[in-house]
Amino acid sequence: TDLKGFVERGYPSQVFDVVELFYGRFQSENQAGFQRELNSIFGEEESEWRMIDGQLFKIDSQFLEMHVVARSYELLKAEGYEGALDELNQARNELSSGNIKGAIHNACKSVESVLKAVTETDSGSASHLIRQLNEIGFYDGLPEDVARAFGEEVLMILPFMRNRLGGHGQGIAVIDVPRLYGELAVHLAATFILFIVRRSTEILPRRSEAVDYADEPVPDVPF
């Protein structure tokens, strides 16, 4: 049969296998566009399935928490934030291995890397980077009093967690950080990254022109 007939009459698991193989056959710069389009279609159809890093997952109660993380991954790849992507991945790996303090530390680092890229600043503390957002018009549209306080009251949550739980000296008592706080840090990092990158694309020129994966010749059906 042809591809259309295979998709319409094949077993869903086989169709998903082929979709994942198609992802792997595209050039790396076009994979993100393919994945975004596929996930957009799943969303329009109110399907629980999503593609994450080329693999299809059912976003049920077990995978629901991955949704924001997955969207952040897509944006980081599409916009070229390789350093932040690596640190967010390290945070997830540390969380999986039980190193909760390491997860908190790397989660905060990933947000700081995004802030450095957005503000075009090579160094500086988290508070300094967050203040720099004012200079690029990041908070334009908010009431002045809200804009002044937004960074300090909202975006400083992760630096606070890192300084008190994951990064600096603990004082006399050793702090045993429960896993739930590591999960919170990773999810907050993903949420903040999603917000910062999306907001930056609204107010700043794109870091690179998006490549339309549809212009690439479709690879042969791998079956």
Side-chain angles (χ1 to χ4, degrees):
T1 185
D2 59 11
L3 179 59
K4 183 175 184 291
F6 173 79
V7 172
E8 289 178 343
R9 296 190 293 274
Y11 288 108
S13 59
Q14 293 175 326
V15 175
F16 278 12
D17 286 342
V18 170
V19 170
E20 291 177 343
L21 287 169
F22 259 69
Y23 175 92
R25 294 288 293 275
F26 280 114
Q27 297 295 325
S28 58
E29 63 268 20
N30 296 326
Q31 289 175 334
F34 175 76
Q35 182 167 283
R36 275 199 308 275
E37 182 69 17
L38 181 64
N39 286 337
S40 175
I41 294 170
F42 280 138
E44 291 173 1
E45 297 298 321
E46 299 183 352
S47 169
E48 295 179 329
W49 288 88
R50 294 293 187 276
M51 176 172 275
I52 302 170
D53 285 342
Q55 298 184 32
L56 287 160
F57 293 93
K58 188 175 183 181
I59 310 298
D60 52 15
S61 57
Q62 183 178 1
F63 289 103
L64 183 59
E65 65 184 33
M66 294 176 62
H67 184 52
V68 171
V69 177
R71 292 171 66 194
S72 299
Y73 265 61
E74 290 179 3
L75 269 179
L76 289 174
K77 285 185 175 180
E79 299 297 326
Y81 296 97
E82 290 85 0
L85 179 61
D86 180 64
E87 287 158 351
L88 183 58
N89 196 47
Q90 287 184 41
R92 294 181 68 190
N93 290 339
E94 296 283 12
L95 184 62
S96 298
S97 66
N99 183 1
I100 309 306
K101 294 179 182 179
I104 294 172
H105 184 70
N106 280 297
C108 187
K109 282 176 61 179
S110 68
V111 175
E112 289 183 358
S113 292
V114 170
L115 289 171
K116 288 177 180 178
V118 168
T119 60
E120 298 183 345
T121 303
D122 293 330
S123 61
S125 64
S127 59
H128 171 76
L129 294 169
I130 289 170
R131 285 195 298 270
Q132 290 290 103
L133 293 177
N134 281 314
E135 299 184 9
I136 62 172
F138 193 86
Y139 303 123
D140 289 357
L142 292 178
E144 185 177 348
D145 57 334
V146 175
R148 284 198 306 269
F150 190 89
E152 187 69 27
E153 299 294 335
V154 178
L155 298 181
M156 282 297 294
I157 294 174
L158 268 175
F160 169 84
M161 292 182 67
R162 180 191 59 187
N163 294 344
R164 299 300 179 92
L165 300 178
H168 293 265
Q170 304 176 79
I172 298 176
V174 176
I175 301 175
D176 184 16
V177 183
R179 177 185 174 85
L180 194 59
Y181 291 92
E183 294 178 357
L184 175 63
V186 172
H187 297 159
L188 281 174
T191 301
F192 287 158
I193 287 170
L194 189 63
F195 167 70
I196 294 167
V197 174
R198 290 181 64 181
R199 177 59 179 151
S200 70
T201 59
E202 293 177 353
I203 63 174
L204 301 173
R206 291 185 64 83
R207 292 163 62 85
S208 60
E209 291 298 324
V211 177
D212 186 355
Y213 73 91
D215 292 338
E216 180 181 354
V218 177
D220 293 334
V221 179
F223 59 86

